[in-house]
Amino acid sequence: MPETIEPKTIIIYLYGKRYRVPDNLTMLKALEYCGYKPTRGVGCRHGFCGACSMVYRIRGERQLHYALGCETKVQDHMYISTMPYFPLEKQCYNLDEIEPTAEMIMHLYPEIYSCVSCNTCTNTCTQGLDVMGYIHAAQAGDFKKCAELSFNCIMCNCCASRCPAGISHPEVAMLARRLNGKYLTPESKQLIDRVEEVKKGDILKDVTALMNQSEEELRALYNSREIEQ
């Protein structure tokens, strides 16, 4: 029988209280290991829903770190706290009644012009996005660039939590992607046809067929798919 290697234990602090936990846990699992039962700030557990934003500091360091609790491993003498919920500034708009112009974004989110270019938002982003870059693109009315730079945003709100200008970066990015998709991206006939299939219920046949295939068959189908240029 192979020898089982037990994980070593380390000291962490949750909300200021000291705990000893295995060193192979994520911050979210450590929270539960210590007896906490979070009902907010828990989502997909695999790193891309943005629900489990946490802030931590390692003893002896000055810098605060922001991360997703489900994908970040604990470290010795890590001081951890979950980020409290706070509302972003989300404006209401009808996508059919607005246009992709700099004047429009100035009307809806004027705070983006208070950006001091400190780059704290980019340094805080859990996905490593150029957050300040896409805000500058939005200022210039370049919604295509803003949409591209913010494409992988998961709206965890870490950037907004640190912004001295009070900018709601994820909401600006969401608006840019919506504008880009509706007005700037070339029309896709395949997408239009697919939407019609969804409306008619025809897509259920394809979904049922996929569900009946094995993992190997699905992998082969995925790897041999035709990719449109």
Side-chain angles (χ1 to χ4, degrees):
M1 293 292 291
E3 182 181 356
T4 301
I5 301 177
E6 296 292 334
K8 69 177 183 180
T9 60
I10 57 176
I11 299 298
I12 66 170
Y13 297 84
L14 298 173
Y15 310 111
K17 294 184 66 174
R18 183 179 184 273
Y19 296 92
R20 183 175 289 276
V21 301
D23 69 346
N24 61 349
L25 300 180
T26 63
M27 293 197 297
L28 183 58
K29 288 184 177 179
L31 196 72
E32 296 171 322
Y33 180 90
C34 295
Y36 292 90
K37 297 180 180 179
T39 56
R40 168 170 277 171
V42 179
C44 67
R45 295 177 175 271
H46 292 287
F48 277 94
C49 76
C52 59
S53 300
M54 295 188 179
V55 58
Y56 70 90
R57 171 179 279 158
I58 306 299
R59 190 174 71 178
E61 294 184 359
R62 288 188 174 186
Q63 184 179 357
L64 283 175
H65 302 273
Y66 289 74
L68 298 180
C70 67
E71 64 176 17
T72 307
K73 291 289 186 68
V74 292
Q75 301 178 50
D76 196 28
H77 292 289
M78 175 186 273
Y79 290 76
I80 304 170
S81 179
T82 52
M83 277 185 58
Y85 170 77
F86 61 93
L88 294 181
E89 185 66 26
K90 181 179 181 180
Q91 299 297 340
C92 294
Y93 50 83
N94 186 330
L95 206 57
D96 294 324
E97 298 176 356
I98 60 176
E99 297 180 352
T101 64
E103 290 75 20
M104 179 277 302
I105 196 74
M106 182 183 297
H107 173 70
L108 288 177
Y109 292 103
E111 66 271 17
I112 67 173
Y113 298 95
S114 299
C115 174
V116 297
S117 299
C118 64
N119 213 30
T120 301
C121 53
T122 298
N123 293 333
T124 304
C125 179
T126 59
Q127 303 303 305
L129 304 182
D130 182 7
V131 183
M132 189 178 77
Y134 76 63
I135 290 297
H136 285 180
Q139 291 173 341
D142 190 346
F143 298 107
K144 183 177 185 297
K145 182 177 181 180
C146 182
E148 291 173 350
L149 291 177
S150 69
F151 186 78
N152 287 325
C153 174
I154 56 176
M155 304 191 78
C156 68
N157 301 345
C158 286
C159 56
S161 73
R162 298 291 309 281
C163 180
I167 298 172
S168 297
H169 311 74
E171 296 296 346
V172 174
M174 179 64 75
L175 174 58
R177 293 196 295 273
R178 287 170 173 166
L179 289 169
N180 185 59
K182 182 173 179 63
Y183 294 108
L184 306 177
T185 302
E187 188 176 89
S188 169
K189 182 179 183 303
Q190 293 91 333
L191 178 59
I192 294 174
D193 292 343
R194 201 60 168 170
V195 170
E196 288 302 315
E197 291 176 2
V198 171
K199 290 180 179 179
K200 295 177 182 178
D202 296 341
I203 196 172
L204 292 176
K205 300 175 184 177
D206 295 337
V207 173
T208 302
L210 288 172
M211 291 176 65
N212 290 328
Q213 293 187 357
S214 66
E215 182 178 338
E216 290 74 18
E217 291 172 325
L218 289 173
R219 288 181 180 275
L221 185 64
Y222 178 82
N223 291 329
S224 63
R225 73 194 186 283
E226 182 180 351
I227 302 177
E228 182 180 357
Q229 300 298 320

